[in-house]
Amino acid sequence: LEPVEKAVEGAKIVSIAAGLYLSYIYIRYHKNPKKAISYLEGIVDKKPNKKYLNSKYIECLAMLEEYEAMKPSIFALKKSEVPYYRLCGDTYLGIHAEFFLEDLQQAEKFYLEALKNGESCEGRGEYYRGISNLGLGRILESKGESQLAEDYYRRAISLADDDVKSEAKEGLKRLGK
């Protein structure tokens, strides 16, 4: 990773791409959101209207449980005409409502809206649909709606990456499935 880190520091043209690439590696493969956010903060400041950068920045904040800091960037995604970015925004609003506000009714609304936006994102957005399904599974489990919770956990497993799959499998175990 050292050559890419040097590109972020020294290059003018490729520094944004290199920083985004490094942040993705640190988020997904190294599970190090602190390191990832150190690259993203500078990029987001330079390119505040780049929605993909904002989505990765919000992802880091969520991993760091800095839920309140997510809101300004989330609203930028929500305003997008592109359903993928509205999917991202609603997913993160669901996370914010569930974990920061502890408002499960509001979280459920956002997760369902995310899934609705995700319907038109063929071949894209599986990660966010997986997170939204996982959130709905947790909420329905807390309401005692075991069959629906199981359905959402299973959808999360079929869509998302290892972290989401792992949490969804734990949910299924709690349900005795």
Side-chain angles (χ1 to χ4, degrees):
L1 296 179
E2 189 177 324
V4 182
E5 288 174 340
K6 285 181 181 177
V8 172
E9 294 169 13
K12 292 185 191 293
I13 296 174
V14 297
S15 67
I16 291 173
L20 177 61
Y21 181 70
L22 274 174
S23 69
Y24 190 84
I25 290 170
Y26 282 116
I27 292 169
R28 294 294 161 95
Y29 302 109
H30 290 264
K31 306 298 182 203
N32 187 343
K34 285 185 180 182
K35 186 81 169 177
I37 208 162
S38 70
Y39 290 104
L40 286 169
E41 284 175 331
I43 299 170
V44 169
D45 289 343
K46 291 177 190 172
K47 300 284 186 180
N49 295 325
K50 297 293 184 188
K51 290 170 183 56
Y52 186 75
L53 293 173
N54 269 323
S55 70
K56 296 296 123 200
Y57 181 66
I58 297 166
E59 185 174 347
C60 286
L61 291 171
M63 292 172 80
L64 294 167
E65 299 180 4
E66 294 182 18
Y67 302 117
E68 192 61 15
M70 295 170 21
K71 283 180 73 174
S73 295
I74 291 172
F75 290 120
L77 295 177
K78 285 281 295 165
K79 291 178 186 174
S80 176
E81 296 295 318
V82 180
Y84 173 77
Y85 293 115
R86 291 195 312 270
L87 162 65
C88 297
D90 283 320
T91 298
Y92 288 125
L93 282 172
I95 290 169
H96 181 268
E98 183 179 4
F99 294 105
F100 183 74
L101 301 176
E102 297 180 357
D103 183 341
L104 298 185
Q105 185 177 5
Q106 191 73 3
E108 184 175 6
K109 175 185 153 233
F110 287 125
Y111 289 140
L112 288 169
E113 186 66 24
L115 293 177
K116 181 179 171 190
N117 283 316
E119 290 172 3
S120 59
C121 298
E122 184 90 17
R124 192 171 187 203
E126 289 83 3
Y127 175 73
Y128 295 106
R129 288 197 307 269
I131 291 172
S132 291
N133 277 288
L134 176 62
L136 288 164
R138 284 190 303 260
I139 291 167
L140 292 164
E141 180 184 354
S142 74
K143 290 179 171 182
E145 297 181 33
S146 298
Q147 185 56 54
L148 281 174
E150 178 185 349
D151 293 344
Y152 281 110
Y153 284 141
R154 292 196 186 285
R155 286 183 204 141
I157 290 168
S158 73
L159 289 168
D161 67 5
D162 291 339
D163 291 341
V164 173
K165 284 180 184 179
S166 173
E167 191 175 339
K169 288 176 182 178
E170 287 298 315
L172 288 173
K173 281 183 189 174
R174 287 191 303 275
L175 296 173
K177 306 293 178 182

